[in-house]
Amino acid sequence: MAAAGAAPLLPGVLSTAAPARAASQRPDFPLVRGGAAVELYVDPADDPAVIRAAGDLQADIERVGGVRPKLSHTLPQTGAAGLVLVGTLGASPVLDRLAAQGRLDVSRVKGRWEASVTQVVERPLPGVERALVIAGSDRRGTVYGIYDTSERIGVSPWYWWADVPVPRRDSVTVPAGPLKRYEPSVRYRGIFINDEQNLTTWSHRTQEPDKNIGPETYKRVFELLLRLKANYLWPAMHPYSDFFNKHRENPELADRYGIVVGSSHPEALLRNGVHEWAPWAEEHLGADGSLPVYDYTVNPAVISDYWRARARQNASYESSWTIGMRGLHDSALETKYATTVPEKVAVMNDIIADQRRILAEEVGAAVEPQIFIPYKEVLELYNAGVQVPDDVTLIWPDDNHGNMRQVPNDAERGRAGGNGIYYHLSYWGRPKSYLWLDTTQLAKVWQELRRVYEHGVDRMWIFNVGDVKSIETGLSFSMDMAWDVDRWGPDDVEDFLAEWAGRQFGRRYGREIAAIRGEYYRLAAERRPEFIDRGVFSVIHHGDEAGRRMAAYEQLLTRVRAVGAKVPAQYRDAFFELVEYPVHGAYLMNLKYYWADRNALAVRQGRGAGTNLFADLAEAAHAEEAALTKRYNTEVAGGKWDGIVNPYPSQIPKAPGRPAVTRVARQETSGLGVAAEGNETGAERALSFSSYTRDRRFLDVFNTGFLSLDWSAEASRPWVLLSSAGGSLTDQTRVWVELDWARMPKGTYDATVTVSGAGQRVEVPLRVVNDGERARRRARGFVEAHGYVSIDAVHTEQRVARGGAHWRVVRGLGRRTGALEAVPSTAAPVTADFATKAPELRYRVRFGGAGTFPVTVLRLPSLDERGHRRLAVALDDRPATVLAGQAVATGNRGDAWARNVEDGVEKLTALVTVDEPGEHVLRIFMVDPGIAVDQIVIDTGGLPVSYLAPPESYHPVFRPDPDRAPGR
């Protein structure tokens, strides 16, 4: 499955800027052959992190080849055909000698940050014929070189955390090399374990019954981080988990693994306020016996001593020191005696000066990294004048929903301490939380990370990953980008997914799993499963918008099951964890709310048996979801993950639970009801048909009682086709209406479908526009139909670059196949003369009538709290209208920012005037860079209200075939 020597699959190896140096004509180096394993050597004076990781390589070779190699700290005294030499340049005399002799190529490795070279050297020592040398520029460089070798022989970084099997082989070899891993794009790359109730539950049940996340769990976390080429951790910090320094083995282990430990925005100088402040306060009562409060304007000396104690305690470890202050447990800064913003700025400046003094006295004057995180209310204070010392790294936060709030300006980019980001792949808070599944579209992650990197943010990237489990794919991608930000481009996210899935399950499955995962992310971009609620998606418009979405999920689940049936049995647990559970769980979360919405509509329509059927289906979907999660926790991997996945934890925000449904009492009656598409009840809104879109419309025939009734349907025109002409029903049936375009004459027509039953008769009107096949073939651009034009933004007539900026396609971004982004993100805004200065998108549109119409541009949310989020819209050569989007994250519920992050789009609307029917050119201009456009909708008088944009309009190239509705 995972072939030996799969070096091109290693993330971050051989930077795209580097020459390809992996190819070699020399024979591969055998690690295991003929039942024997080659010996490993590490100098005993090398760093403990290197010696420990060499032990992992020893275990990995045994996992693959079935033979455990000897790990020695003395060079062989007798002849050996092969030897693995592991070491750090400057700490391993034998490697330094080979480098000095020019036999080990350490160019662009020696003296660099976390770089390494893996290379076969002939006759490196007396009596040794060949050696595989793994040499690092520093201790972590060596560790990463070790884990590169493990991954090359088939050991996934997720072998333990996602149960990815290690394929066994009798012969295990690696290429002769040299293979280099140059310096990473980002110096510190890590995760924040946060909102970790499920991880705590699992850890307590399966790892350490006497603890709530302790050393045994952190050993697993540290190893995973290193295998992912990460080096940094903000540990778990909530009330239900043990704080990191409670167990002194934790920081000692981190140092032995080579992990830099820091702390989150409310945890200054490695102090965990939620656990540690209360006992400290008890021990430091005021003169009057009162408890000191965590307010620097009230108790500066007590708080300063509190920080100092931890700085002294952890001074010997490689740590990251968070300076500044917020309230206890992720609450806002408390300043009783500083009420205005200028007063709070002054207090923050005093706090930083005090903390810097503590660090200089207890740890060292030049200790680094020191970080300042302007999170939530602290960002306002920073922008108002907080003075952060030049050598401190500024950590810029996103809005907790994947949109960077602001990026550094020119002065900030020149800081000695550099810049970093704190980015959420999981979040608890306003307006809604997403803690259950990995639902942030990877193309969105790519877009935002690429943007910050272009603005000089390369010192530290920290990702909130919640409980670690379920974020496997997003975390892998984020770490890949942090190591080599140039490796993946705007067209490459699916290539990453294919490569990553290939490394977990074998290359033959990589591309299909990538496509599955891409569609999963697309559906989550429409609405995260954690954000689903009653009445979000329409069940009456656009062919049952919600039903179309469920049909997409069903098709996706069918693909998942098809691949799952093919992967070898030993891969089934990993496949369930990484592919099946996320798709199936998201499907069921949506499905129960779909049936609940149908149930609510049935009540309004006065349905009988069908009302109760929809209620049963909603509750069955919820029960199936619970059973699926129980399988994860009790059956998968033999129950290894007991408690790790729970959509409904007790102490943190829950995913949407069981939706309320309504049942009606059985009545021994029957009655005919009809609801045509576009109508909650009845058929007042006619079914609309166009020869361009060649639509399929539905009408629901239902029973208002519980006794079976006979019904029939008849069309007034011979070219109106019905999926069913009648029958007997107890609850309901959906009848699909289509037209035989080849049989009907050209022109505009009215028709009816008459439904009869139980002594009743309902007429459903049809409005048909047939411009003929010739007009359809000759059409250019998008054609108006049904009172609107709907356009996927990537389907341009033309893209015009101007002023050094342009629009580029980012595949897999947004609600459809991709979105268009105005780049570079560092370009200057264009605020006038758009037609000559601004990058432009052009769309040819054919209007059937004249008038003034609203044009809505669906842009993907992005922020700039020191700038603007604008674009401009024009028709033909008319003046452009500038549209300003939400640029600030308010952190509220119910406002524009909240709607944008819940919906995943922001709708910006301008008016355009069409003087006469026919073809026109719609033009979209960049005003501010970094804007991404997803879809465009023009309402010419018939657009119904719905959550999603309508199906894309007819276009002879991009949408030549009808977008048929599902058969629900």
Side-chain angles (χ1 to χ4, degrees):
M1 297 284 291
L9 292 182
L10 289 177
V13 172
L14 298 178
S15 167
T16 53
R21 307 184 64 119
S24 173
Q25 300 303 314
R26 293 182 293 161
D28 291 347
F29 185 88
L31 295 173
V32 176
R33 180 175 290 171
V38 70
E39 183 177 335
L40 312 180
Y41 166 80
V42 184
D43 193 290
D46 214 320
D47 193 272
V50 172
I51 296 172
R52 191 213 59 79
D56 280 352
L57 178 59
Q58 181 186 28
D60 289 343
I61 292 172
E62 183 179 21
R63 289 183 178 102
V64 179
V67 182
R68 190 174 186 85
K70 179 182 178 181
L71 176 58
S72 176
H73 301 299
T74 58
L75 291 167
Q77 301 300 309
T78 59
L83 181 67
V84 178
L85 295 173
V86 178
T88 306
L89 297 172
S92 177
V94 63
L95 298 191
D96 291 340
R97 184 168 59 252
L98 291 173
Q101 294 169 349
R103 303 176 65 198
L104 178 64
D105 181 4
V106 296
S107 59
R108 291 186 62 187
V109 172
K110 186 177 181 180
R112 303 299 179 95
W113 178 267
E114 297 180 346
S116 67
V117 57
T118 301
Q119 175 186 333
V120 171
V121 176
E122 308 294 336
R123 295 177 297 280
L125 298 166
V128 178
E129 296 179 18
R130 303 179 84 203
L132 178 70
V133 179
I134 303 172
S137 62
D138 52 27
R139 65 172 182 162
R140 279 190 295 270
T142 309
V143 169
Y144 298 147
I146 290 168
Y147 286 128
D148 277 349
T149 303
S150 291
E151 195 164 359
R152 291 165 80 191
I153 65 174
V155 181
S156 167
W158 295 99
Y159 82 96
W160 193 88
W161 278 96
D163 302 298
V164 176
V166 177
R168 294 291 296 268
R169 293 190 302 279
D170 294 333
S171 178
V172 183
T173 63
V174 292
L179 185 85
K180 290 187 177 180
R181 181 181 288 277
Y182 297 132
E183 279 190 320
S185 299
V186 179
R187 175 161 287 206
Y188 294 101
R189 311 161 305 281
I191 66 171
F192 180 21
I193 297 174
N194 193 215
D195 312 318
E196 66 277 4
Q197 185 184 349
N198 291 343
L199 185 70
T200 303
T201 300
W202 165 81
S203 176
H204 181 76
R205 288 179 183 176
T206 69
Q207 303 298 300
E208 301 159 282
D210 61 332
K211 299 179 179 68
N212 292 312
I213 306 183
E216 293 305 310
T217 303
Y218 278 117
K219 284 179 184 177
R220 296 293 187 182
V221 172
F222 297 155
E223 181 187 337
L224 174 66
L225 290 176
L226 293 173
R227 287 183 183 268
L228 292 173
K229 313 303 182 287
N231 59 11
Y232 186 62
L233 174 72
W234 289 353
M237 52 79 73
H238 276 285
Y240 34 75
S241 59
D242 294 341
F243 67 96
F244 190 72
N245 279 278
K246 177 179 180 179
H247 309 295
R248 289 308 298 168
E249 306 100 301
N250 285 340
E252 293 165 4
L253 276 170
D255 198 58
R256 184 153 61 86
Y257 274 75
I259 296 295
V260 181
V261 176
S263 55
S264 64
H265 45 88
E267 300 177 281
L269 270 59
L270 299 179
R271 273 296 195 178
N272 178 272
V274 68
H275 284 285
E276 297 190 271
W277 173 253
W280 181 272
E282 291 280 359
E283 295 171 0
H284 297 79
L285 300 176
D288 60 354
S290 61
L291 278 172
V293 295
Y294 194 65
D295 182 335
Y296 196 82
T297 67
V298 177
N299 298 294
V302 175
I303 294 171
S304 181
D305 289 344
Y306 170 71
W307 290 331
R308 183 179 294 274
R310 177 53 41 76
R312 180 179 300 140
Q313 187 179 40
N314 283 35
S316 62
Y317 305 127
E318 188 179 9
S319 302
S320 165
W321 302 94
T322 299
I323 65 172
M325 190 175 183
R326 295 191 72 225
L328 294 174
H329 198 204
D330 200 8
S331 59
L333 176 69
E334 292 186 31
T335 51
K336 180 178 181 180
Y337 298 118
T339 57
T340 68
V341 168
E343 289 172 342
K344 291 179 181 180
V345 167
V347 170
M348 187 66 76
N349 287 335
D350 290 343
I351 288 169
I352 292 172
D354 188 12
Q355 292 167 335
R356 295 269 289 179
R357 185 165 48 250
I358 290 168
L359 289 174
E361 293 169 358
E362 300 294 342
V363 187
V367 61
E368 64 174 29
Q370 297 176 39
I371 65 174
F372 179 79
I373 312 164
Y375 185 77
K376 290 192 175 178
E377 78 285 346
V378 180
L379 179 60
E380 179 186 7
L381 300 183
Y382 172 81
N383 287 336
V386 169
Q387 298 300 305
V388 180
D390 188 66
D391 61 322
V392 173
T393 303
L394 293 175
I395 305 297
W396 301 99
D398 69 345
D399 66 346
N400 308 312
H401 294 265
N403 308 295
M404 294 306 302
R405 295 180 64 175
Q406 65 187 51
V407 292
N409 57 29
D410 289 342
E412 290 157 346
R413 285 196 290 272
R415 295 170 52 84
N419 295 269
I421 59 167
Y422 169 37
Y423 194 86
H424 287 76
L425 300 174
S426 174
Y427 177 63
W428 168 3
R430 295 178 179 175
K432 291 186 177 178
S433 306
Y434 55 104
L435 302 167
W436 176 38
L437 299 175
D438 175 15
T439 53
T440 302
Q441 204 167 30
L442 293 195
K444 173 68 174 180
V445 176
W446 180 89
Q447 179 199 18
E448 289 293 308
L449 296 186
R450 182 74 228 182
R451 177 185 171 209
V452 298
Y453 190 80
E454 289 173 353
H455 282 80
V457 181
D458 61 2
R459 189 62 55 90
M460 181 179 289
W461 288 3
I462 185 84
F463 297 92
N464 189 318
V465 298
D467 292 304
V468 181
K469 285 292 284 181
S470 90
I471 309 291
E472 299 95 340
T473 309
L475 175 56
S476 295
F477 180 70
S478 299
M479 289 299 108
D480 256 24
M481 282 203 69
W483 189 280
D484 186 355
V485 74
D486 293 320
R487 186 160 188 248
W488 305 109
D491 295 323
D492 297 340
V493 169
E494 187 168 324
D495 291 338
F496 162 81
L497 285 167
E499 180 182 299
W500 187 81
R503 293 205 303 272
Q504 317 312 318
F505 302 104
R507 295 183 183 183
R508 74 185 70 177
Y509 307 110
R511 188 56 64 181
E512 174 63 3
I513 291 174
I516 288 169
R517 193 77 186 181
E519 175 68 354
Y520 161 82
Y521 282 125
R522 187 194 70 78
L523 290 166
E526 290 183 344
R527 189 82 174 187
R528 294 186 195 265
E530 297 92 342
F531 291 0
I532 196 65
D533 204 346
R534 299 295 295 267
V536 174
F537 295 93
S538 173
V539 293
I540 63 172
H541 294 304
H542 304 311
D544 185 354
E545 176 183 77
R548 296 164 67 91
R549 176 174 165 85
M550 293 318 307
Y553 263 120
E554 287 174 358
Q555 293 166 10
L556 188 60
L557 190 57
T558 298
R559 295 173 71 178
V560 168
R561 288 168 171 159
V563 178
K566 295 176 184 176
V567 298
Q570 65 267 32
Y571 286 82
R572 298 284 167 79
D573 287 340
F575 187 82
F576 181 85
E577 295 169 42
L578 298 176
V579 183
E580 183 178 350
Y581 181 82
V583 172
H584 200 173
Y587 162 71
L588 291 170
M589 186 67 72
N590 280 271
L591 183 64
K592 63 186 178 183
Y593 277 86
Y594 172 68
W595 291 129
D597 283 346
R598 293 287 299 271
N599 168 257
L601 177 62
V603 172
R604 296 194 296 272
Q605 292 172 333
R607 299 193 193 195
T611 301
N612 295 350
L613 175 61
F614 289 140
D616 293 342
L617 289 170
E619 298 202 334
H622 181 76
E624 186 179 353
E625 177 208 297
L628 187 75
T629 298
K630 182 179 180 181
R631 177 185 166 193
Y632 201 137
N633 288 308
T634 63
E635 299 177 25
V636 168
K640 173 181 176 180
W641 299 112
D642 188 10
I644 197 69
V645 172
N646 181 5
Y648 314 111
S650 61
Q651 299 184 55
I652 61 176
K654 303 164 180 57
R658 178 188 285 111
V661 292
T662 301
R663 287 182 169 81
V664 295
R666 180 181 178 87
Q667 296 180 350
E668 301 301 313
T669 60
S670 63
L672 177 70
V674 175
E677 179 177 336
N679 300 272
E680 279 214 346
T681 59
E684 182 178 347
R685 185 185 181 111
L687 299 181
S688 176
F689 296 85
S690 166
S691 57
Y692 295 99
T693 50
R694 295 183 176 177
D695 312 280
R696 185 184 192 214
R697 304 295 186 190
F698 72 84
L699 57 91
D700 285 340
V701 181
F702 57 87
N703 192 343
T704 61
F706 287 78
L707 298 180
S708 178
L709 67 83
D710 293 330
W711 67 279
S712 63
E714 182 179 9
S716 64
R717 304 272 192 167
W719 32 262
V720 177
L721 309 177
L722 306 178
S723 63
S724 175
S728 179
L729 64 81
T730 302
D731 39 50
Q732 60 244 333
T733 189
R734 178 159 283 182
V735 178
W736 289 98
V737 183
E738 297 181 84
L739 303 186
D740 186 346
W741 297 99
R743 292 181 60 191
M744 72 170 297
K746 183 178 176 181
T748 300
Y749 299 92
D750 291 330
T752 58
V753 173
T754 302
V755 182
S756 304
Q760 297 167 280
R761 176 184 175 92
V762 178
E763 288 193 350
V764 179
L766 281 61
R767 301 282 164 74
V768 182
V769 177
N770 182 10
D771 285 353
E773 183 59 27
R774 183 181 179 189
R776 195 173 191 269
R777 290 198 308 267
R778 297 180 63 183
R780 299 188 303 168
F782 292 96
V783 179
E784 175 198 353
H786 315 302
Y788 61 82
V789 181
S790 182
I791 301 170
D792 290 357
V794 295
H795 293 157
T796 57
E797 179 80 14
Q798 187 178 5
R799 284 182 272 159
V800 181
R802 293 192 182 103
H806 66 282
W807 292 90
R808 72 176 170 201
V809 176
V810 181
R811 298 292 174 193
L813 178 63
R815 292 176 166 186
R816 301 291 292 177
T817 60
L820 283 162
E821 180 187 19
V823 292
S825 63
T826 54
V830 179
T831 57
D833 302 325
F834 301 114
T836 59
K837 294 181 178 179
E840 179 183 349
L841 305 174
R842 294 178 182 172
Y843 302 90
R844 190 183 298 274
V845 180
R846 198 179 89 178
F847 291 93
T852 298
F853 307 126
V855 176
T856 299
V857 179
L858 280 68
R859 82 167 187 101
L860 300 176
S862 59
L863 303 171
D864 185 352
E865 301 205 359
R866 293 188 289 200
H868 304 278
R869 299 280 81 198
R870 298 166 297 183
L871 53 81
V873 177
L875 190 70
D876 300 325
D877 294 324
R878 291 177 175 271
T881 300
V882 175
L883 301 176
Q886 181 73 20
V888 175
T890 64
N892 299 326
R893 292 188 176 95
D895 63 6
W897 168 80
R899 289 193 301 274
N900 295 348
V901 297
E902 289 182 36
D903 297 350
V905 294
E906 181 175 26
K907 297 178 180 179
L908 304 176
T909 301
L911 295 176
V912 297
T913 298
V914 177
D915 290 333
E916 59 183 17
E919 290 187 359
H920 296 264
V921 177
L922 181 69
R923 309 169 74 184
I924 308 292
F925 298 99
M926 181 200 91
V927 178
D928 295 304
I931 291 283
V933 178
D934 192 30
Q935 292 168 289
I936 304 160
V937 179
I938 308 170
D939 182 1
T940 58
L943 183 68
V945 176
S946 61
Y947 176 77
L948 298 175
E952 191 171 27
S953 297
Y954 172 80
H955 188 287
V957 176
F958 300 122
R959 188 61 65 183
D961 298 318
D963 194 356
R964 298 172 66 84
R968 282 195 173 272

